[in-house]
Amino acid sequence: MADPRLVASTVFTLLLATALLTPATSVVAYHTGPIKAVASEISETLTLPRNNYSGYTFTLGRGDRIVYDVRVNRGTGIDLYIVSATDLGFYRSDSGVRFYWLDAVEAQTVISGVFMADSRTAGADTVIVDNVDFSGAQPYGPVNVSVNLTREVAPAPSPWPVVVLVFGVGIAVAVLVLLAVRMRKNPSSVPAPPYPSPYGSPPRPYAPPISPPQSPPQGPQPPPPP
């Protein structure tokens, strides 16, 4: 009969050798999944195995929105990430580079909400439905998921503020033009005062000169008639 201590030692040696010869599983380089380009909306039901994901890329302008509704029909909680084009590459990389998300909901079975792009986040943004255990949810197997995503284009700016501004400027210009024309026709409503007279009083109409009275003749006077 074999010595129990020898058997135990042999088993331990075999297990140790197996562990040393088997390559260790990396915390990265194991997640995989497809990326789809979506023009306006998508609605589908899919099964994600453990450590798998599915991505949906939308081209967003400033003010555009993604309305998302993702529900687990069977399985454990999942994650949803919205990432830029640059961080999508980091997310999919097997090098373990950290990625940064624009929006995220983790470890939930019902995920719904709205993401709006601004001047910084506009561009090719990707919605990732994630059944990977490196962050957030810790799946133990596959999940069956219903995915509903819709892109809503930002409404065009209203023209009314511009119309009101142009109308107001037009009225102001018209009023100024009318005032200028009126002032040119009537330079002054008050008559100018007359120049002062050098005589101290207003001049009178011209009158002919009056002859001075004649003096009686000088010398002897003839006798009066009889």
Side-chain angles (χ1 to χ4, degrees):
M1 183 176 181
D3 187 351
R5 290 177 298 179
L6 180 60
V7 173
S9 177
T10 302
V11 172
F12 177 77
T13 302
L14 291 174
L15 291 176
L16 180 60
T18 302
L20 292 175
L21 293 175
T22 302
T25 302
S26 175
V27 294
V28 294
Y30 62 83
H31 63 299
T32 185
I35 300 294
K36 303 176 182 179
V38 181
S40 59
E41 63 179 334
I42 187 170
S43 179
E44 66 177 2
T45 300
L46 68 158
T47 298
L48 290 176
R50 182 186 179 191
N51 295 329
N52 275 245
Y53 61 86
S54 184
Y56 309 87
T57 299
F58 293 83
T59 300
L60 302 179
R62 181 178 179 181
D64 291 354
R65 310 193 312 167
I66 297 176
V67 180
Y68 53 85
D69 186 89
V70 180
R71 299 172 183 268
V72 175
N73 301 317
R74 184 175 62 255
T76 56
I78 58 174
D79 306 320
L80 182 141
Y81 301 106
I82 300 179
V83 298
S84 66
T86 300
D87 284 287
L88 175 62
F90 292 154
Y91 173 87
R92 303 187 75 187
S93 173
D94 291 338
S95 63
V97 178
R98 176 177 297 181
F99 73 98
Y100 295 91
W101 42 261
L102 305 176
D103 195 5
V105 181
E106 296 182 324
Q108 300 295 321
T109 56
V110 177
I111 301 175
S112 60
V114 176
F115 169 76
M116 179 180 290
D118 55 22
S119 57
R120 181 182 60 88
T121 59
D125 297 332
T126 301
V127 180
I128 300 173
V129 179
D130 174 289
N131 191 39
V132 183
D133 62 5
F134 63 76
S135 178
Q138 299 297 314
Y140 298 101
V143 292
N144 183 266
V145 184
S146 295
V147 178
N148 296 279
L149 306 172
T150 303
R151 169 177 171 257
E152 295 182 350
V153 179
S158 174
W160 285 110
V162 177
V163 172
V164 171
L165 177 62
V166 172
F167 186 72
V169 171
I171 291 178
V173 171
V175 170
L176 292 176
V177 171
L178 290 176
L179 289 177
V181 171
R182 186 172 181 181
M183 291 177 66
R184 181 173 295 181
K185 289 183 178 180
N186 301 316
S188 178
S189 59
V190 179
Y195 290 102
S197 173
Y199 303 101
S201 62
R204 299 178 179 179
Y206 173 78
I210 300 175
S211 303
Q214 296 182 357
S215 59
Q218 303 293 329
Q221 300 292 327

